[in-house]
Amino acid sequence: MKDMLFIKKFPTSILLAIILLLGSMYLFSGSMTKYPSFIHAWTQSDRLALAMNFQERGFDFFHPSTYNLLTKGGITQVDFPIHDYLVSLISYLFSLDLVFTFRSYNLLYSLIGLFFFYRIALRIGISGIRAVFITTFLYTLPFFVYYQNGSLPSIPSFSNFLIGFYFFISFLDYRLKRDIALSAFFLTLAALARSPYLIFLIAAPATLLWIQWKNKKI
């Protein structure tokens, strides 16, 4: 009985942080310095090459390139490479191994996204323990774990979507301009790096227009 009372009083956010921290140590400690391999190794290697070339070419953001010389200077078309650029810059400024920096960046970004997923669950009325459970369930899905500390922009974009969605819900509740601005920023960032998230960037203002039409109030 006392144990159950302790669980109810223990902050679920701290419980979630412990689960995410210990889980990350268990799942990723052996792969943080390894080069891409297995599924989508080629695509992940391309993202790593983008970060390497940003360093080698003076951090020219508008001319991303790989080591594929089929194009002039290896310059290639790619979705908004903000994450590759930031990883390259962080690695350079702090003299860190680029592979380790890339994996750490994506892993940290994923954990931030999971925290906002937990906050979303609380915001829509799910209890703390259940919110921790469903967040942990998402955290341990095999395909999510596989990409969580990789080098693809999918994980940061998913996290940006969750952050943007959280602030969108907050705006619907409190009507603060700050919330809708933050929502627009993170949803846009998600869509720029991974084009499928454009669906949600369009759906958010469409939802607001529908609410205004339904309530007959602008």
Side-chain angles (χ1 to χ4, degrees):
M1 191 69 178
K2 290 182 178 179
D3 292 339
M4 291 298 296
L5 185 61
F6 172 76
I7 292 174
K8 289 182 178 180
K9 290 184 176 181
F10 191 77
T12 53
S13 58
I14 296 178
L15 176 61
L16 178 64
I18 293 173
I19 292 173
L20 296 181
L21 179 60
L22 295 179
S24 296
M25 293 174 63
Y26 174 76
L27 293 170
F28 307 112
S29 59
S31 62
M32 294 302 292
T33 58
K34 292 183 178 179
Y35 281 85
S37 58
F38 306 111
I39 300 174
H40 285 168
W42 182 269
T43 308
Q44 296 202 57
S45 296
D46 277 347
R47 308 306 301 206
L48 185 60
L50 287 173
M52 289 179 174
N53 275 282
F54 278 133
Q55 290 185 350
E56 294 177 5
R57 303 192 179 201
F59 296 97
D60 183 357
F61 182 79
F62 297 101
H63 294 88
S65 60
T66 66
Y67 295 102
N68 185 352
L69 299 182
L70 292 177
T71 59
K72 185 178 180 180
I75 297 173
T76 184
Q77 293 181 344
V78 66
D79 290 335
F80 193 62
I82 184 62
H83 303 294
D84 315 275
Y85 189 85
L86 289 176
V87 166
S88 180
L89 186 61
I90 293 169
S91 172
Y92 176 79
L93 291 176
F94 296 97
S95 300
L96 298 172
D97 176 72
L98 189 58
V99 175
F100 174 78
T101 306
F102 222 137
R103 288 186 178 277
S104 299
Y105 177 90
N106 270 17
L107 178 58
L108 180 60
Y109 224 123
S110 73
L111 297 180
I112 294 172
L114 287 169
F115 177 75
F116 275 91
F117 180 78
Y118 160 78
R119 295 285 301 275
I120 290 170
L122 294 180
R123 180 54 61 86
I124 63 176
I126 297 175
S127 66
I129 292 296
R130 290 183 179 181
V132 169
F133 174 78
I134 62 173
T135 304
T136 304
F137 178 78
L138 172 60
Y139 174 54
T140 53
L141 289 175
F143 72 89
F144 188 75
V145 171
Y146 178 77
Y147 293 108
Q148 200 171 356
N149 73 328
S151 54
L152 296 180
S154 303
I155 289 294
S157 289
F158 179 61
S159 293
N160 283 329
F161 158 70
L162 291 175
I163 297 170
F165 189 58
Y166 169 79
F167 284 113
F168 183 74
I169 295 176
S170 294
F171 174 75
L172 294 180
D173 288 340
Y174 302 113
R175 299 291 170 170
L176 298 177
K177 292 181 179 179
R178 178 200 63 185
D179 288 337
I180 197 62
L182 288 171
S183 176
F185 174 78
F186 284 104
L187 290 178
T188 300
L189 194 57
L192 286 173
R194 290 293 289 162
S195 55
Y197 287 95
L198 181 62
I199 296 172
F200 303 104
L201 184 61
I202 296 173
T207 300
L208 293 179
L209 289 174
W210 179 81
I211 291 173
Q212 292 178 3
W213 176 80
K214 181 180 178 182
N215 296 332
K216 296 182 174 59
K217 181 179 180 182
I218 301 298

